[in-house]
Amino acid sequence: MRSLLRSRLLLPLALVGALGCGEDEPEVLTVELPVVARVGTEAFACGKTYTNVGTTGTTYEPMDFRVYVHDVRLVTRDGQEVPVTLTEDKTWQHSGVVLLDFANKDGLCTQGTEGMNASIKGTVPQGDYTGLRFTLGIPEELNHGDPTTLGKPMEDTGLHWNWQSGFLFTRIEGRTQGLPQHVMHLGSTACAPPPEGQTQGTAGCANNNRPEFHLDGFDVTKNTLVMDLGTLFAGSDLNVNTPSTAAGCMSFPTDADCAPIFQRLGLAFGGQAANPAAQTFIRAE
Amino acid sequence: MARRQAQAWKALATVALLAAGCADPSGPTEEPAPYDWKLPAGFPKPRVPEDNPMSEAKVQLGRRLFYDKRLSLNGTQSCGSCHEQARAFTDGRVHSVGSTGEAHRRNGQGLANVAYATSLTWANSALTTLEAQSLVPLFGREPVELGFADQQEVLLERLRADPDLTARFAEAFPNEATPVSLATLTRALSAFERSLISGTSAYDRYLYGKEVDALSPAAKRGLQLFLSERLECDHCHSGFNFQDATVHEATAEPVLPYHNTGLYNEDGQGAYPAGDTGLFEITFRPEDMGRFRAPSLRNVAVTGPYMHDGSLETLSDVLDHYAAGGRARAVNGGQPSPLQSAFVRGFELTPEEKADVIAFLESLTDTAFLTDPRFADPATVP
């Protein structure tokens, strides 16, 4: 945790001269937004055991924690959204999508890669920014493409929902006292077949399940994004699973285990309306 | 400095491009040899995804991969393990069993004429290309089929370690910088599957070959019953492929039909068993409960057991199910499911008529297809 903070680059880096072709080139601000994973007050790490999670205060042993985000924007003091141009590294960031990966191969985290990514990197024009906004998930125009040709970070079949022909926006998995595996897979559901004339894609999904996060007062030079499994699971009993449903929540509108989790993502679920204000999964510190 | 170099390089590249353009305005075009479908008489040309044109090299590579047990993590199964040529690429089991022994909830599907299918698998409107579908057996975990979930690199490294196979990939995909990739693997497998065309059954010889005696008198009577308003079979098993979910090159607007045949009605409202509710689990629309895709009936006599869950053993059982207007009526006091297809109304057949319909269905068996060396395991039939 400390080392993460220390290694962080705080960079309102003026790149005039380095990039500029002319005198009028706007100054560019390079941003690197740190994202830390936690379970309550504790830093998330594969191999650890967390206590007192969910309504029954069970233990939680991580097996995976990966999250896609896109459409990252900063908000100026006067309320204007300015898109962050994500730096293309074609490993964690590509086509405007970032894969945040908090799982290495320690402990029960046997899937995925040893590599981790805990920041969002990009550039924006210099400005007076007082807020951060982004969307969780893979954008619609990429979500139903061919995962074998989209390139990293979208070519990991472990993050693709093959039978739904879309991506897992989150892959959060762990073991609790009551369940050998608790799975939290967020993704679009109830997707129509491809539109006429196309062999891929969808004519639209009834449940897009892409939560928007608005962090007002976010200081790009000081603040950290916190993704907290403690608050995400605060309303869930992780020791039990509703019979005849997926283990945990795989975004099925008929799975009662999803209701409290979707609420904490600010998402609509079943009869529950979307309520972004109820979102507690991601906060700024 | 670095920037200036990059600019200079870009300028050079532009010049090079222009020079190439001047030398040959049409550009160097090397059209791959068109694939010879060897289509049976009366068969339309299949649609092929733009990013995966057919070629003989690709089909041959796909055939090797289809029968290669390295395509399962533990080396025990290939695609061909659950799709046997002699059974029109089904497996004869009630439920297919994956490489780790896990049973699938569904009955293995045939691959004959899969090139013409608008949708794939029993009840998934999202899977409309073989390329996309192939990821399910390779990487699926519910159930585990070939077992490569989270082991994608193991699969690719394994294939790349074989120089002969790598050379075949390079031949089939001459423009790829990385010849062995997930994209080329799924494309080669799909190209082979598209080549599995069945259209030389007795019925085809009768209809397209004008061989009046190719069909027995019983099969001819069965054909008339099959087409009759009494049985209504051809509403779902329609067209040259006996499947309404059919598309080909000239199809103006492909359709993705799914039907509830009244096989189950757990609650009197049409519910199917909780673990296998058909298209409903993709769309969550109440009307999609128990809806499944009608399979092609080509080679149907060798593809038993039948229905999405393999719950009917013989063609006679299938006819009994439809004659009853849906098997589930018996457990609901003779009442049909409110969700079942209007074409599943029930009918009466004399034993002779039933034998005639079965004789017709048997006339769809294409023995040449079931033994064609082009579709066989290259290890046994080079």
Side-chain angles (χ1 to χ4, degrees):
Chain A
M1 182 63 206
R2 278 184 62 85
S3 63
L4 236 177
L5 280 177
R6 208 181 296 138
S7 68
R8 171 182 173 186
L9 300 168
L10 299 175
L11 306 167
L13 242 191
L15 295 177
V16 183
L19 272 183
C21 301
E23 315 253 318
D24 300 331
E25 200 76 12
E27 292 183 22
V28 172
L29 179 70
T30 301
V31 291
E32 180 168 352
L33 305 168
V35 189
V36 301
R38 298 235 188 98
V39 184
T41 56
E42 295 179 77
F44 174 96
C46 293
K48 285 182 69 172
T49 301
Y50 301 92
T51 53
N52 202 21
V53 181
T55 55
T56 46
T58 189
T59 58
Y60 188 84
E61 295 172 87
M63 297 166 89
D64 207 338
F65 191 170
R66 286 180 280 176
V67 177
Y68 282 111
V69 300
H70 67 281
D71 197 18
V72 182
R73 293 146 282 162
L74 293 180
V75 186
T76 61
R77 192 168 295 280
D78 58 5
Q80 284 210 308
E81 283 189 354
V82 180
V84 176
T85 304
L86 295 179
T87 310
E88 289 266 324
D89 65 11
K90 293 190 165 49
T91 301
W92 303 110
Q93 304 200 150
H94 182 37
S95 299
V97 177
V98 185
L99 174 62
L100 297 162
D101 184 343
F102 307 110
N104 57 9
K105 291 230 178 202
D106 279 354
L108 302 176
C109 297
T110 53
Q111 58 222 3
T113 56
E114 279 178 35
M116 297 194 283
N117 181 44
S119 69
I120 299 167
K121 301 181 186 74
T123 54
V124 281
Q126 279 285 7
D128 181 14
Y129 297 112
T130 59
L132 171 68
R133 295 177 185 174
F134 59 90
T135 305
L136 196 152
I138 297 277
E140 180 65 28
E141 63 271 22
L142 296 174
N143 192 39
H144 303 278
D146 183 345
T148 70
T149 55
L150 285 173
K152 285 178 182 174
M154 286 158 284
E155 66 176 27
D156 184 340
T157 48
L159 292 168
H160 193 253
W161 236 352
N162 301 313
W163 63 279
Q164 290 272 21
S165 295
F167 283 86
L168 303 175
F169 302 160
T170 70
R171 185 168 173 179
I172 300 170
E173 301 177 7
R175 183 167 76 184
T176 70
Q177 281 162 318
L179 294 175
Q181 195 166 10
H182 180 276
V183 174
M184 202 288 124
H185 288 175
L186 186 70
S188 296
T189 62
C191 298
E196 167 57 15
Q198 271 179 237
T199 56
Q200 269 178 350
T202 175
C205 301
N207 308 312
N208 285 316
N209 293 339
R210 290 188 187 86
E212 273 267 328
F213 295 88
H214 289 201
L215 301 171
D216 298 333
F218 189 91
D219 184 338
V220 286
T221 65
K222 289 200 185 89
N223 286 148
T224 296
L225 271 174
V226 177
M227 296 190 170
D228 185 348
L229 297 186
T231 56
L232 181 65
F233 294 142
S236 303
D237 178 353
L238 301 192
N239 280 337
V240 296
N241 190 60
T242 305
S244 302
T245 67
C249 164
M250 298 196 194
S251 301
F252 269 56
T254 48
D255 186 347
D257 301 319
C258 286
I261 297 174
F262 271 54
Q263 185 183 21
R264 282 154 184 80
L265 287 165
L267 285 171
F269 182 79
Q272 159 191 312
N275 179 15
Q279 161 326 89
T280 54
F281 175 43
I282 302 179
R283 63 178 183 271
E285 278 188 4
Chain B
M1 183 62 190
R3 187 177 128 250
R4 211 171 295 148
Q5 274 176 355
Q7 276 195 343
W9 180 87
K10 202 169 159 190
L12 272 175
T14 311
V15 170
L17 277 173
L18 284 171
C22 293
D24 179 8
S26 62
T29 50
E30 202 181 310
E31 286 292 320
Y35 177 75
D36 182 1
W37 286 96
K38 299 186 171 66
L39 289 175
F43 271 46
K45 206 170 161 193
R47 264 193 194 186
V48 173
E50 269 176 32
D51 63 356
N52 193 20
M54 294 289 280
S55 74
E56 187 61 29
K58 210 186 284 181
V59 169
Q60 287 305 326
L61 171 64
R63 178 183 164 207
R64 275 175 192 276
L65 294 166
F66 186 87
Y67 287 106
D68 193 332
K69 288 188 175 171
R70 289 175 293 185
L71 259 65
S72 59
L73 183 64
N74 61 13
T76 59
Q77 283 194 346
S78 67
C79 304
S81 301
C82 293
H83 297 286
E84 302 168 29
Q85 183 183 8
R87 300 177 190 272
F89 296 95
T90 60
D91 63 5
R93 294 173 181 268
V94 174
H95 292 177
S96 295
V97 176
S99 60
T100 59
E102 201 176 334
H104 202 291
R105 60 186 170 154
R106 301 241 169 99
N107 180 253
Q109 294 244 59
L111 298 178
N113 298 341
V114 73
Y116 296 109
T118 49
S119 64
L120 304 161
T121 76
W122 279 105
N124 192 336
S125 51
L127 285 174
T128 58
T129 66
L130 290 164
E131 287 80 358
Q133 193 278 331
S134 63
L135 298 172
V136 176
L138 281 170
F139 299 106
R141 61 187 84 231
E142 290 171 336
V144 172
E145 295 184 55
L146 296 170
F148 282 104
D150 297 311
Q151 303 288 338
Q152 180 178 327
E153 285 310 310
V154 174
L155 169 61
L156 294 177
E157 281 163 23
R158 194 184 280 182
L159 300 180
R160 284 170 186 153
D162 179 340
D164 175 62
L165 197 59
T166 307
R168 289 175 192 275
F169 267 101
E171 185 198 356
F173 297 95
N175 299 319
E176 292 291 330
T178 310
V180 184
S181 69
L182 203 51
T184 55
L185 170 64
T186 58
R187 277 160 180 71
L189 284 171
S190 303
F192 172 64
E193 291 174 292
R194 285 194 182 95
S195 78
L196 303 173
I197 303 284
S198 170
T200 54
S201 64
Y203 166 80
D204 295 299
R205 294 199 304 278
Y206 169 81
L207 185 68
Y208 300 112
K210 312 288 180 210
E211 288 179 40
V212 282
D213 295 332
L215 282 191
S216 68
K220 285 176 189 167
R221 290 193 300 269
L223 172 59
Q224 291 315 308
L225 284 165
F226 181 86
L227 298 172
S228 70
E229 284 296 298
R230 173 148 65 110
L231 268 62
E232 308 272 25
C233 304
D234 80 320
H235 285 282
C236 301
H237 298 288
S238 54
F240 76 96
N241 206 32
F242 298 92
Q243 179 175 35
D244 54 0
T246 292
V247 63
H248 52 82
E249 209 176 45
T251 306
E253 189 180 342
V255 292
L256 292 166
Y258 294 87
H259 315 279
N260 177 320
T261 67
L263 200 60
Y264 297 96
N265 182 1
E266 303 268 284
D267 60 353
Q269 305 300 308
Y272 266 47
D276 205 4
T277 55
L279 188 62
F280 174 78
E281 67 185 33
I282 296 292
T283 66
F284 305 109
R285 290 188 306 209
E287 64 269 30
D288 287 336
M289 170 65 71
R291 281 187 176 168
F292 292 86
R293 184 186 74 146
S296 167
L297 296 184
R298 289 188 167 275
N299 303 292
V300 69
V302 301
T303 66
Y306 300 101
M307 316 310 278
H308 68 278
D309 57 357
S311 61
L312 297 177
E313 195 181 337
T314 64
L315 287 174
S316 174
D317 295 340
V318 174
L319 285 175
D320 289 346
H321 155 62
Y322 286 114
R327 182 179 64 176
R329 270 195 215 225
V331 294
N332 282 282
Q335 288 303 304
S337 156
L339 299 178
Q340 77 186 46
S341 163
F343 294 116
V344 181
R345 296 181 308 200
F347 48 79
E348 280 184 23
L349 281 183
T350 66
E352 294 75 23
E353 287 175 323
K354 187 176 177 185
D356 288 345
V357 175
I358 291 173
F360 162 66
L361 294 172
E362 286 170 344
S363 81
L364 295 172
T365 302
D366 179 359
T367 45
F369 174 78
L370 303 179
T371 56
D372 192 327
R374 292 180 301 152
F375 308 143
D377 182 349
T380 51
V381 187

